[in-house]
Amino acid sequence: MIKKYITSALLSVLLGACATKETVKQTAKINFEANWESLSQYEVPEWWKNTKFGIYFHWGPYSVPAHETEWYSHYMYNAGNEVRKYHEETYGPLNEFGYKDFIPMFTGEHFNADEWAKLFKEAGAQFAGPVAEHADGFAMWDSDLTHWDAKEMGPKRDIVGEMAEAVKKHDMKFIATYHRHWMYAWFPTWDKTTDAADKKYEGLYGPYTPKGTFNMAKTKSDPLPDDKFNEEWLARLDELMEKYQPDIIWFDNRMDIIGEKYRQQFLANYYNNAQKWGKEVVCTYKFHDLEEGTAVLDLERSRMKEKQPFVWLTDDSVDWKAWCHINDPKYKTTNRLIDFLVDVVSKNGAVLLNIPPKANGEIPQEVITRLKEMGKWLNTNGEAIYDTRPWKIFGEGPQEIKEGHLSEHKNKEAVAEDIRFTTKGDYLYAIALDWPKDGILKVKSLGQNSEVLSQELLQVSMLGSNKVIEWKQEKEYLKVQLPEDRPCEHAFVIKLKLSPQDL
């Protein structure tokens, strides 16, 4: 396997563990065992290589306060934290109003799984689904393992089940995301001045852990979760699988605090179950949380600087500030979202975009607008995105990508000189991330003197336009005279037919 090392200290470590095998479609049944050698027989499905865009949503009791962050449930218990100050001023002391008291306020009366799935499909998504359980320990499905779930409390509906049915109905793959490992020591179960220490709420807040146990992902908790916690972590995943048969199971980071044998057993269970279901599935992981070659690497609010020899995923939120609904969001522009998607796809990646519904089940209009605008763009230009593969190089232009966990805010907007490439069949697609002011596109990588273009350029057209495109291949660049009427907003696509061996 090829390994790609890059300049960022964080990602240089990360990428050393993520060169994913890409082999031919599995034809013989494999009995996966709970060890890395056996699990390394996993092969990335062809359908996943063709998949480029998905949508999920952070939605739960943490959506009720709508204040600052989806980590509200954690920060509200942290002395000196701004969220705690806000909570106590707004709702009262923690021994009188704890996180559990938000659950009855999480009503979801406007939630409509079919309407949400239709919107995701209209946005151009190929896969979609919910956060099945966040770090708060509240299960969003009809669970037989806990009473602290969305079927028995809050909206009193099986959110995961309804979304699974609706997503599949609208011909998308179903994803369920799982963050429960973060719940270990998430709440201060040692602090008797709060409701989190009350044993009758242990089903939500988790087992007793000593003060100081909680750590961020870079540092493992001490003590680590015991077998009981690990077993419940695995049991809930098994239940999710049995009830909803997700095509994709996605994990947040910090999963390395879970015992290795439990992580291995989950993968073996998932891959073996998938064969019983008659489907090929995908599991994603971050950092070193699973062994290389056993699943698909996922980044968070970040992207690769260069094209990679393995397929990968990145997840990001439509809101720069938070993953759940908050009262003062800072939504990304549609242009930024599309440019991000194009750049990631050109480098052999896919995008999982998060949206933040309100506690009552409404999706903010600003979010709906952006999703529909993305769908409109993909309806015109999806040929250059879906089912494509990277070219020899990912692109050209002045944009420099800063790599590293949560680094997306460091990346500047793209300009007209930033061009990305994808391929499909006999065609090469040059996707320009902005419209040049003079109406002339110059693609340096496709000039006569290009070191990457070795065969004849046969035909040039523009997606979304029926105009005859004037072009000339000069020594330093391909010169394309753009039509007066733009075929779409945002990025635009030049479609080029080249000699077959050049692709």
Side-chain angles (χ1 to χ4, degrees):
M1 291 182 286
I2 301 173
K3 293 186 177 180
K4 181 80 174 177
Y5 295 91
I6 56 181
T7 56
S8 165
L10 174 64
L11 282 185
S12 63
V13 174
L14 182 150
L15 289 181
C18 67
T20 307
K21 294 194 313 180
E22 296 198 30
T23 52
V24 296
K25 182 177 180 180
Q26 178 181 310
T27 55
K29 183 176 179 180
I30 297 174
N31 180 30
F32 289 96
E33 299 176 359
N35 62 72
W36 296 129
E37 182 179 2
S38 177
L39 294 168
S40 68
Q41 297 175 90
Y42 171 76
E43 298 171 358
V44 177
E46 197 68 18
W47 69 258
W48 177 254
K49 297 176 187 178
N50 293 332
T51 298
K52 311 299 179 182
F53 180 46
I55 297 172
Y56 76 135
F57 52 91
H58 280 67
W59 193 46
Y62 48 85
S63 303
V64 174
H67 183 72
E68 294 297 323
T69 175
E70 70 286 347
W71 276 46
Y72 187 104
S73 59
H74 178 70
Y75 291 141
M76 64 183 277
Y77 290 96
N78 287 9
N81 191 283
E82 183 278 332
V83 171
R84 177 162 182 166
K85 181 176 182 292
Y86 170 85
H87 181 85
E88 291 176 333
E89 290 176 352
T90 307
Y91 300 102
L94 292 171
N95 62 342
E96 296 180 10
F97 195 107
Y99 183 65
K100 68 183 185 306
D101 298 298
F102 283 121
I103 295 174
M105 303 167 68
F106 174 46
T107 53
E109 65 269 25
H110 296 293
F111 169 66
N112 185 313
D114 191 67
E115 289 299 317
W116 286 20
K118 283 171 62 178
L119 174 64
F120 301 161
K121 184 71 173 181
E122 184 180 351
Q126 297 163 288
F127 62 103
V131 170
E133 183 177 332
H134 200 247
D136 62 344
F138 188 74
M140 295 291 286
W141 70 94
D142 182 10
S143 177
D144 299 325
L145 302 175
T146 178
H147 296 295
W148 298 93
D149 67 57
K151 181 64 175 177
E152 295 187 51
M153 301 180 181
K156 297 185 177 180
R157 295 171 67 175
D158 182 355
I159 305 301
V160 174
E162 290 187 41
M163 285 306 307
E165 182 179 353
V167 165
K168 293 171 184 177
K169 171 186 172 183
H170 290 280
D171 196 28
M172 293 177 285
K173 299 289 187 180
F174 178 64
I175 183 172
T177 80
Y178 195 69
H179 313 236
R180 183 173 176 78
H181 32 282
W182 274 104
M183 195 272 280
Y184 179 70
W186 181 261
F187 296 101
T189 52
W190 52 267
D191 186 355
K192 295 186 181 300
T193 67
T194 74
D195 65 330
D198 193 327
K199 289 288 289 184
K200 67 183 176 183
Y201 303 129
E202 184 175 341
L204 177 66
Y205 294 139
Y208 169 81
T209 54
K211 183 178 181 179
T213 301
F214 182 84
N215 280 312
M216 300 297 283
K218 291 183 179 179
T219 306
K220 286 188 179 182
S221 296
D222 185 15
L224 287 168
D226 60 15
D227 284 342
K228 182 179 178 181
F229 186 93
N230 283 313
E231 287 164 2
E232 184 171 3
W233 178 89
L234 178 59
R236 292 193 183 202
L237 282 165
D238 285 340
E239 184 179 58
L240 268 174
M241 280 187 271
E242 291 168 7
K243 289 194 171 188
Y244 310 111
Q245 299 186 10
D247 301 289
I248 308 155
I249 294 181
W250 174 106
F251 287 104
D252 203 354
N253 60 358
R254 200 186 179 225
M255 187 169 53
D256 60 346
I257 69 169
I258 298 298
E260 182 178 53
K261 68 178 182 180
Y262 294 97
R263 286 176 278 147
Q264 292 171 329
Q265 190 62 60
F266 157 73
L267 271 185
N269 292 350
Y270 189 33
Y271 293 161
N272 286 329
N273 277 329
Q275 292 179 106
K276 294 178 183 176
W277 305 333
K279 64 165 66 175
E280 296 175 303
V281 297
V282 170
C283 176
T284 74
Y285 70 101
K286 297 183 178 182
F287 301 108
H288 299 285
D289 289 355
L290 296 174
E291 192 78 6
E292 62 172 295
T294 64
V296 172
L297 175 71
D298 175 49
L299 310 182
E300 182 174 341
R301 284 198 188 272
S302 60
R303 45 179 147 162
M304 302 289 191
K305 185 176 182 179
E306 300 289 343
K307 182 185 74 169
Q308 301 302 323
F310 51 87
V311 290
W312 53 281
L313 177 70
T314 183
D315 56 86
D316 204 346
S317 181
V318 70
D319 185 1
W320 282 107
K321 297 171 64 176
W323 295 81
C324 73
H325 173 67
I326 57 175
N327 290 322
D328 58 342
K330 184 181 178 182
Y331 296 126
K332 296 173 181 174
T333 65
T334 304
N335 190 73
R336 177 79 184 206
L337 295 170
I338 289 172
D339 285 356
F340 181 77
L341 173 65
V342 170
D343 184 61
V344 168
V345 170
S346 74
K347 297 168 182 174
N348 213 15
V351 170
L352 175 58
L353 179 66
N354 172 75
I355 66 160
K358 298 178 182 180
N360 66 2
E362 293 177 337
I363 298 175
Q365 185 57 50
E366 298 95 325
V367 175
I368 293 173
T369 297
R370 283 159 174 76
L371 293 182
K372 289 186 175 182
E373 288 174 346
M374 291 188 75
K376 182 179 179 181
W377 186 87
L378 283 163
N379 189 52
T380 299
N381 300 289
E383 178 183 335
I385 300 296
Y386 304 130
D387 303 331
T388 61
R389 298 292 183 270
W391 193 42
K392 298 175 182 178
I393 57 173
F394 74 86
E396 64 181 57
Q399 187 184 48
E400 294 185 7
I401 298 302
K402 305 294 183 182
E403 294 172 324
H405 191 57
L406 307 178
S407 63
E408 183 55 26
H409 66 283
K410 299 178 182 178
N411 292 321
K412 296 179 179 180
E413 297 287 348
V415 296
E417 291 77 22
D418 288 305
I419 299 168
R420 300 293 179 262
F421 300 114
T422 61
T423 65
K424 185 192 300 180
D426 294 333
Y427 291 95
L428 171 68
Y429 301 93
I431 310 172
L433 301 185
D434 201 358
W435 193 271
K437 293 181 180 179
D438 62 2
I440 298 174
L441 181 68
K442 297 178 180 179
V443 188
K444 296 178 181 178
S445 302
L446 303 181
Q448 293 176 357
N449 294 340
S450 170
E451 295 180 357
V452 291
L453 180 64
S454 57
Q455 300 298 313
E456 182 182 2
L457 177 57
L458 303 177
Q459 188 179 31
V460 177
S461 60
M462 177 180 286
L463 295 187
S465 175
N466 57 8
K467 303 290 185 182
V468 175
I469 301 300
E470 297 181 11
W471 58 278
K472 182 179 181 182
Q473 192 177 24
E474 300 186 356
K475 289 184 178 181
E476 300 301 323
Y477 49 76
L478 170 67
K479 179 179 178 180
V480 181
Q481 179 65 56
L482 303 177
E484 292 185 7
D485 298 328
R486 298 181 59 164
C488 61
E489 296 294 324
H490 316 298
F492 63 96
V493 182
I494 299 298
K495 180 178 180 179
L496 309 109
K497 188 167 186 180
L498 305 180
S499 299
Q501 64 260 46
D502 195 58
L503 295 171

